[in-house]
Amino acid sequence: MQRMWAAVASLLNRNPRPRRAPGQAAQLERLDSGKWTRELLMHLEWRRVEELCCAYFEELGFKTGLTHDRADGAVDISLYAAGADTACMLVHCKAWDAYPIGIKPVRELRGAMTSANVAEGVMVAAGRFTPEATHFAAKENIQLIDGASLLEKLAALLPEKALALLKFATQGDFLTPTCPRCSVKMLARKSTREGRMFWGCTNYPRCKQTFSSTTISPA
């Protein structure tokens, strides 16, 4: 809990007045951030999903360790049982996507488990998994937690713990994605050719990282 609330304070100090993209203010008003819902989980940006997962497993009594060496900017979350010096599980997270998560990310988790010499893996996703991914995970000692299962697990916590995690997940700007290369909030941009909305890094053109988005309304 101490680590979680320190993270909350850090977020508030870093982004006291979040700069939102066009349409985000209205989107935030429509979201019910007073309770855990599927819609709220779907709108959490990818970095906040990772932070939520860390906080959740810490509430379960694990110590967490982060490794920042994945090509996509995401982290390996190592879970340590109380008093243990070696990790017992490795966790990867995926924010919501309209398409079910296939076998490739699960294979990547299996490879990371081998590299870290960890026997058990967990993949937490705000969305769903394909049957192929589910079948592969079952053979490789990987637990898949989809969005519906995550909501059930949050609801199973003591009410005060579930509320603390909710406050943590919705502090500051939890909608705007973080650039995986620069670790700064991205900006909503519009394609000059097609007029489509997308997320671009604030450090462009030095950083050309982009995310497509269906959650930004045109200006």
Side-chain angles (χ1 to χ4, degrees), residues 56 60 143-145 148-158 162:
Y56 169 74
L60 296 185
Q143 179 187 3
L144 299 183
I145 301 176
S149 298
L150 180 57
L151 289 175
E152 290 177 359
K153 291 181 180 297
L154 291 169
L157 293 171
L158 292 174

Side-chain angles (χ1 to χ4, degrees), residues 151-171:
L151 289 175
E152 290 177 359
K153 291 181 180 297
L154 291 169
L157 293 171
L158 292 174
E160 60 270 23
K161 290 188 175 183
L163 180 59
L165 288 176
L166 177 64
K167 290 181 177 179
F168 168 67
T170 56
Q171 287 286 350

Side-chain angles (χ1 to χ4, degrees), residues 6 34 61 159 200 212 217:
S212 61
S217 302

Side-chain angles (χ1 to χ4, degrees), residues 28-153:
L28 185 60
E29 288 182 1
R30 292 194 301 267
L31 280 176
D32 183 358
S33 59
K35 61 182 179 180
W36 283 111
T37 63
R38 179 174 178 270
E39 185 178 13
L40 177 60
L41 192 60
M42 287 168 55
H43 282 81
L44 293 183
E45 62 110 354
W46 69 274
R47 179 61 60 80
R48 191 60 61 91
V49 171
E50 289 185 341
E51 294 168 343
L52 170 62
C53 286
C54 285
Y56 169 74
F57 284 110
E58 287 174 2
E59 287 288 6
L60 296 185
F62 291 100
K63 183 179 71 173
T64 60
L66 307 182
T67 304
H68 299 263
D69 60 1
R70 291 169 59 186
D72 62 358
V75 297
D76 292 336
I77 304 173
S78 299
L79 301 185
Y80 299 82
D85 295 325
T86 57
C88 59
M89 283 184 278
L90 194 68
V91 183
H92 282 187
C93 305
K94 287 288 183 181
W96 185 85
D97 193 290
Y99 299 98
I101 297 170
I103 194 171
K104 181 180 178 181
V106 189
R107 286 188 185 276
E108 292 173 353
L109 172 56
R110 186 65 187 89
M113 290 163 57
T114 300
S115 298
N117 195 27
V118 174
E120 296 183 52
V122 182
M123 177 162 284
V124 182
R128 301 164 293 151
F129 295 96
T130 64
E132 184 182 27
T134 302
H135 180 69
F136 177 82
K139 295 189 304 179
E140 300 295 335
N141 206 23
I142 296 174
Q143 179 187 3
L144 299 183
I145 301 176
D146 62 11
S149 298
L150 180 57
L151 289 175
E152 290 177 359
K153 291 181 180 297

Side-chain angles (χ1 to χ4, degrees), residues 178-184 186-187 189 196 198-212:
T178 303
C179 176
R181 295 178 182 174
C182 304
S183 295
V184 296
M186 304 179 86
L187 291 176
R189 302 185 186 278
R196 66 177 180 84
F198 67 95
W199 294 107
C201 183
T202 56
N203 291 325
Y204 179 86
R206 179 166 55 86
C207 176
K208 295 182 173 62
Q209 178 73 47
T210 62
F211 286 144
S212 61

Side-chain angles (χ1 to χ4, degrees), residues 184-196:
V184 296
K185 289 295 184 180
M186 304 179 86
L187 291 176
R189 302 185 186 278
K190 182 185 291 187
S191 169
T192 54
R193 291 186 178 181
E194 303 170 357
R196 66 177 180 84

